[in-house]
Amino acid sequence: MNFDLVKTANNSRARAGLITTPHGKIETPVFMPVGTAGSVKGIHTRDLREDIKAEIILGNAYHLYLRPGIPILESAGGLHKFNTWDGPILTDSGGYQVFSLGEIRKISEEGTKFQSHIDGSYHLFTPEKVVDIQRSIGADIIMAFDECTPGDADFEYARKSLELTKRWLHRCFNRFTETEPLYGYNQSLFPIIQGSIYSELRKQATAHVKEFDADGYAIGGLSVGEKEEVMYEITETVASDLPGNKPRYLMGVGTPVNILESIDRGIDMFDCVIPTRNGRNGMLFTSEGVMNMRNKKWENDHSPIDENGTSFVDRYSKAYLRHLIISGEMLGAQIASHHNLAFYMWLVKTARNEIMEGDFKSWKNEMIKKLKTRL
Amino acid sequence: MNFDLVKTANNSRARAGLITTPHGKIETPVFMPVGTAGSVKGIHTRDLREDIKAEIILGNAYHLYLRPGIPILESAGGLHKFNTWDGPILTDSGGYQVFSLGEIRKISEEGTKFQSHIDGSYHLFTPEKVVDIQRSIGADIIMAFDECTPGDADFEYARKSLELTKRWLHRCFNRFTETEPLYGYNQSLFPIIQGSIYSELRKQATAHVKEFDADGYAIGGLSVGEKEEVMYEITETVASDLPGNKPRYLMGVGTPVNILESIDRGIDMFDCVIPTRNGRNGMLFTSEGVMNMRNKKWENDHSPIDENGTSFVDRYSKAYLRHLIISGEMLGAQIASHHNLAFYMWLVKTARNEIMEGDFKSWKNEMIKKLKTRL
């Protein structure tokens, strides 16, 4: 994997870059649609590629390990072959998912014991095992196994948790170095910076991950309940401590506004379930603002769902989409998810153009006003 | 609307025809994907048109009347504008749906009183009202309002029910003649032949509908619990009594085998929820037989779901589709529904080619053996 920093904006830390992976190039800033269980919910891979113009998608090691399971993924020849997405893939390690399990997981030095959310069976994830799983999945970019520190952790908890994540990171890199990719192309391992809302811990964590000559670095444990301002502050602190010649990935973030604010602070890569999950609930993001499609005001509005939209789904009418969502028709969830993903891709692509040739900062400020509008 | 009988098969009653509607031509035999509430579940209109190659789709007057409601459809300019399907549309009158409501509907001379399955509100459908509703929806082909006689009705019930349907048919045609289409193109009204499993009643009903110079004729009240052999017998009896120069529509039928058997008996048009409903449950129809995608045997089968399939979805693997269905991922229901519809379209198109240029009967007999295979 290779990263070229193409340009930094004039009056912002926003960066335009180019990542080259074994499955193709990715222009940054980039948004990565989430395909937790190997499918971006409601979207054919053909449409992701040709209409939404996704450049990389996510999978999740925890979910894929439980279902379909590693032997099946290996016999398919990896996730790319399994789900027909032949572009770059990044897999999350499952640290966040295991953290979400709450009562049914137990963390020790060795790893994390947890019960499957599907059938209650017991499993142990260790840093080594999670690297092995991601070797089997065959993602281009794989993530270290970490403890995702809860948003309300006190300093002492966060400090201990970070120490554990650091020890686990060594074990991840050891395993990664000892093993080979399974399918004939290289994989890259990204460390994850934890440290909760404590700048001191975040600085320590950043210094630590830099000891590894990784292909990119991720910021985890944000957008887990802390205030937005705190998230931006931590993001800015960490990003400015990271090397300029590697991509920076802010995990699980966020709304369109969060994304623009984080690009402004030097972030290159994003993923989030918001466009698909909120889409399924009838929420649409557009360049003019947010629409709740359940709202009665759209009932008789026969104009396209997004006049400026880039996708073929944007020519469906607001009234029709509202009808589908209200009636619980699958197609409603499909259209809304599809539109939102296409919008997210448009947003980061336009941000890149502004970094390259325009005035990113002014554009961002204008755009954020619109994005905060309730239509 | 116009129907050209292009060819009748050499050794069968199977017919190849061409229907011309205000929204385009339809080659018969044809299968019409069902879009009950204005959307074929899980399928974009673009894909219906370009990939599945549907030539006409169905809507349902009962469902569309309740939701989104007639004022919204009228302000959209009809269903074509509302759902972006610009090809031909046929609407069912709602007779069958009201019949399905059981306890919450009451039939009188005037019409049928029923309670909405959505909010329990009371409504009255009369033959006149149902014609008006379908004028508002703007379908190219609209259906008469009938009582769908239950499959287990005794002769006396079936006879009385048929008499009512006959009186209602007069009222439908009167209203149809008195009113104008709303959107600048002509609509056609098809009568529905009832009479349950009683040949004598079916013959009476057929004679009665022929008194109206309709653009086409439908057979209703089959596939409602009677034996398959009875269904074929009634279909054959009725079809052979109908005029040769008008299309014949067998409502709500059926499996791929049912469709081939009925084409053989002179039927031109079909609709059914089986390809989409069974698809959502993980059942796939292919030219080699039926597959239950939940079956463990597909777990590790990485071959395409249908080697002979005509759709882009057919290149997904069996193992992947099984994983999606088992995991409850929306995309599983989409792929299976999409494949099944494309298969149904391939089936009727191939039937037509065999009628035109091949040996329909031998092909049909061979194909039915395969269709009955459990893979």
Side-chain angles (χ1 to χ4, degrees):
Chain A
M1 202 191 102
N2 185 50
F3 177 70
D4 294 309
L5 179 59
V6 179
K7 196 180 169 196
T8 301
N10 296 326
N11 46 5
S12 153
R13 296 178 190 216
R15 298 139 46 99
L18 187 68
I19 301 174
T20 306
T21 78
H23 287 89
K25 292 182 189 294
I26 304 160
E27 289 187 337
T28 62
V30 69
F31 178 79
M32 306 183 280
V34 177
T36 305
S39 104
V40 176
K41 292 191 194 304
I43 315 286
H44 287 288
T45 44
R46 181 199 63 170
D47 292 338
L48 275 173
R49 200 180 291 118
E50 294 173 12
D51 188 76
I52 291 166
K53 304 197 187 300
E55 298 183 25
I56 170 171
I57 66 170
L58 242 70
N60 188 279
Y62 164 81
H63 285 275
L64 292 166
Y65 160 83
L66 292 178
R67 218 163 40 188
I70 296 309
I72 290 172
L73 286 165
E74 282 188 357
S75 88
L79 182 57
H80 293 88
K81 292 281 192 321
F82 189 61
N83 75 2
T84 78
W85 172 259
D86 55 13
I89 295 179
L90 180 151
T91 39
D92 195 2
S93 61
Y96 179 80
Q97 281 62 36
V98 169
F99 149 80
S100 311
L101 292 173
E103 290 298 296
I104 55 173
R105 62 109 171 89
K106 206 181 155 189
I107 300 171
S108 70
E109 186 62 34
E110 188 188 8
T112 303
K113 259 194 175 151
F114 62 90
Q115 273 186 279
S116 158
H117 71 283
I118 298 164
D119 63 3
S121 54
Y122 286 89
H123 302 267
L124 173 66
F125 267 15
T126 63
E128 292 79 12
K129 180 156 186 179
V130 166
V131 168
D132 293 348
I133 290 170
Q134 294 180 93
R135 286 287 196 202
S136 299
I137 295 172
D140 300 83
I141 301 172
I142 74 179
M143 301 304 298
F145 190 57
D146 61 340
E147 186 192 354
C148 183
T149 315
D152 59 354
D154 61 27
F155 183 84
E156 196 45 27
Y157 184 102
R159 191 189 61 78
K160 282 190 181 157
S161 165
L162 174 59
E163 289 306 313
L164 182 66
T165 289
K166 284 157 73 176
R167 291 190 299 275
W168 283 2
L169 182 58
H170 281 277
R171 290 167 57 190
C172 282
F173 266 101
N174 286 342
R175 185 62 149 220
F176 184 69
T177 312
E178 286 161 23
T179 54
E180 292 286 326
L182 271 61
Y183 310 114
Y185 52 84
N186 285 323
Q187 299 178 281
S188 297
L189 173 63
F190 281 20
I192 301 173
I193 295 159
Q194 291 288 347
S196 188
I197 56 167
Y198 306 103
S199 302
E200 184 189 332
L201 297 180
R202 288 283 179 179
K203 281 190 162 291
Q204 269 179 37
T206 309
H208 181 256
V209 298
K210 284 160 74 179
E211 293 172 19
F212 302 85
D213 186 30
D215 288 334
Y217 299 93
I219 309 175
L222 287 179
S223 204
V224 291
E226 80 286 358
K227 284 189 182 150
E228 227 166 43
E229 279 320 303
V230 174
M231 175 174 82
Y232 294 143
E233 231 178 86
I234 300 283
T235 300
E236 188 161 348
T237 306
V238 172
S240 53
D241 279 357
L242 282 170
N245 62 345
K246 296 292 169 68
R248 304 159 184 168
Y249 165 27
L250 180 56
M251 303 181 77
V253 174
T255 64
V257 171
N258 294 157
I259 287 177
L260 292 192
E261 291 291 8
S262 306
I263 289 174
D264 193 22
R265 286 159 176 84
I267 299 297
D268 308 302
M269 302 168 71
F270 301 90
D271 78 285
C272 193
V273 295
I274 284 179
T276 41
R277 180 176 295 165
N278 292 24
R280 292 197 298 282
N281 292 328
M283 187 188 224
L284 247 65
F285 299 96
T286 78
S287 55
E288 299 298 322
V290 173
M291 295 193 285
N292 177 354
M293 298 313 301
R294 296 182 171 273
N295 197 313
K296 205 171 163 63
K297 77 183 282 190
W298 310 120
E299 189 179 49
N300 226 346
D301 183 335
H302 301 288
S303 65
I305 57 176
D306 187 356
E307 295 278 4
N308 307 316
T310 60
S311 166
F312 80 89
V313 303
D314 291 315
R315 72 177 176 180
Y316 289 110
S317 74
K318 298 180 180 89
Y320 183 56
L321 179 56
R322 177 178 191 273
H323 163 66
L324 296 175
I325 299 265
I326 294 279
S327 304
E329 288 281 313
M330 278 174 72
L331 189 61
Q334 291 169 236
I335 293 171
S337 301
H338 191 128
H339 161 83
N340 283 345
L341 289 173
F343 174 70
Y344 268 62
M345 292 310 299
W346 172 85
L347 188 71
V348 294
K349 196 56 81 189
T350 306
R352 192 177 199 276
N353 291 342
E354 293 292 333
I355 294 165
M356 292 294 289
E357 292 167 13
D359 177 351
F360 172 77
K361 199 84 165 193
S362 322
W363 172 79
K364 184 207 86 168
N365 291 336
E366 282 309 302
M367 185 52 67
I368 283 179
K369 273 182 225 157
K370 291 194 205 163
L371 292 170
K372 286 184 169 169
T373 308
R374 293 234 151 225
L375 298 176
Chain B
M1 202 190 100
N2 185 50
F3 177 71
D4 294 309
L5 180 59
V6 178
K7 197 179 170 197
T8 301
N10 297 325
N11 46 6
S12 154
R13 299 179 188 216
R15 300 141 44 102
L18 186 68
I19 300 174
T20 306
T21 78
H23 287 90
K25 290 181 189 296
I26 304 160
E27 289 187 339
T28 62
V30 69
F31 178 79
M32 306 183 279
V34 178
T36 306
S39 105
V40 176
K41 292 191 196 303
I43 314 286
H44 287 287
T45 43
R46 182 199 62 171
D47 292 338
L48 275 173
R49 198 180 292 119
E50 294 173 13
D51 189 76
I52 291 165
K53 305 197 187 299
E55 298 184 26
I56 169 170
I57 67 172
L58 241 72
N60 188 279
Y62 164 79
H63 285 275
L64 291 167
Y65 160 82
L66 290 179
R67 220 165 37 189
I70 296 310
I72 290 172
L73 286 165
E74 282 189 357
S75 88
L79 182 58
H80 293 88
K81 292 281 190 322
F82 189 60
N83 74 1
T84 78
W85 172 260
D86 55 11
I89 295 178
L90 180 152
T91 38
D92 194 2
S93 62
Y96 180 80
Q97 279 62 37
V98 169
F99 148 80
S100 311
L101 292 173
E103 290 299 296
I104 55 173
R105 62 110 174 87
K106 207 180 154 189
I107 299 171
S108 69
E109 186 62 35
E110 188 188 7
T112 304
K113 259 197 176 150
F114 61 91
Q115 273 185 280
S116 158
H117 71 284
I118 298 164
D119 64 3
S121 54
Y122 286 89
H123 301 267
L124 172 67
F125 267 14
T126 63
E128 293 79 12
K129 179 155 187 180
V130 166
V131 168
D132 292 347
I133 289 170
Q134 293 180 95
R135 286 288 196 200
S136 299
I137 294 172
D140 300 83
I141 302 173
I142 74 180
M143 301 303 299
F145 190 58
D146 60 340
E147 186 192 355
C148 182
T149 316
D152 59 356
D154 62 27
F155 183 85
E156 196 45 29
Y157 184 103
R159 191 189 62 76
K160 281 192 181 156
S161 166
L162 175 59
E163 289 307 313
L164 181 66
T165 289
K166 285 158 71 176
R167 292 191 297 276
W168 284 1
L169 182 59
H170 281 277
R171 289 168 55 190
C172 282
F173 265 101
N174 286 344
R175 185 61 151 219
F176 184 70
T177 312
E178 286 161 20
T179 53
E180 292 287 327
L182 270 60
Y183 310 114
Y185 52 83
N186 284 323
Q187 300 177 281
S188 296
L189 173 63
F190 281 21
I192 302 172
I193 295 159
Q194 292 288 348
S196 187
I197 55 168
Y198 306 104
S199 304
E200 182 188 332
L201 296 181
R202 290 283 180 178
K203 282 191 162 291
Q204 269 181 38
T206 310
H208 181 256
V209 299
K210 284 160 73 179
E211 293 171 17
F212 301 84
D213 185 30
D215 288 333
Y217 299 93
I219 309 174
L222 287 179
S223 202
V224 291
E226 79 286 359
K227 285 189 184 151
E228 226 166 44
E229 279 320 303
V230 174
M231 176 173 80
Y232 295 142
E233 232 179 86
I234 299 283
T235 299
E236 188 161 348
T237 307
V238 172
S240 54
D241 278 357
L242 281 170
N245 61 346
K246 296 291 168 72
R248 305 159 184 168
Y249 165 28
L250 181 56
M251 302 181 79
V253 175
T255 65
V257 171
N258 293 158
I259 287 177
L260 293 191
E261 291 292 10
S262 306
I263 289 174
D264 193 22
R265 287 158 175 83
I267 299 296
D268 308 301
M269 302 167 71
F270 301 90
D271 78 286
C272 194
V273 295
I274 284 179
T276 41
R277 182 177 293 166
N278 293 24
R280 291 197 299 280
N281 292 327
M283 188 187 223
L284 248 64
F285 299 97
T286 78
S287 55
E288 299 298 322
V290 172
M291 295 193 284
N292 176 354
M293 297 313 301
R294 295 182 170 273
N295 197 315
K296 202 171 166 61
K297 78 183 282 192
W298 310 120
E299 189 179 49
N300 225 347
D301 185 335
H302 302 288
S303 65
I305 56 176
D306 187 356
E307 295 278 4
N308 308 317
T310 60
S311 167
F312 79 91
V313 304
D314 291 315
R315 71 177 176 179
Y316 288 110
S317 74
K318 298 180 180 86
Y320 183 56
L321 179 57
R322 177 179 191 273
H323 163 66
L324 296 176
I325 300 266
I326 294 280
S327 305
E329 288 281 313
M330 276 174 74
L331 189 61
Q334 290 169 235
I335 292 171
S337 301
H338 191 129
H339 160 82
N340 283 345
L341 288 174
F343 175 70
Y344 267 62
M345 292 310 299
W346 172 86
L347 188 71
V348 294
K349 196 57 77 186
T350 307
R352 191 177 200 274
N353 291 342
E354 293 292 334
I355 295 165
M356 292 295 289
E357 291 166 14
D359 177 351
F360 171 78
K361 199 85 166 191
S362 325
W363 171 80
K364 183 208 88 168
N365 291 336
E366 283 308 302
M367 185 52 67
I368 281 178
K369 275 182 223 154
K370 292 194 205 163
L371 292 171
K372 285 183 170 169
T373 309
R374 293 235 152 224
L375 298 178

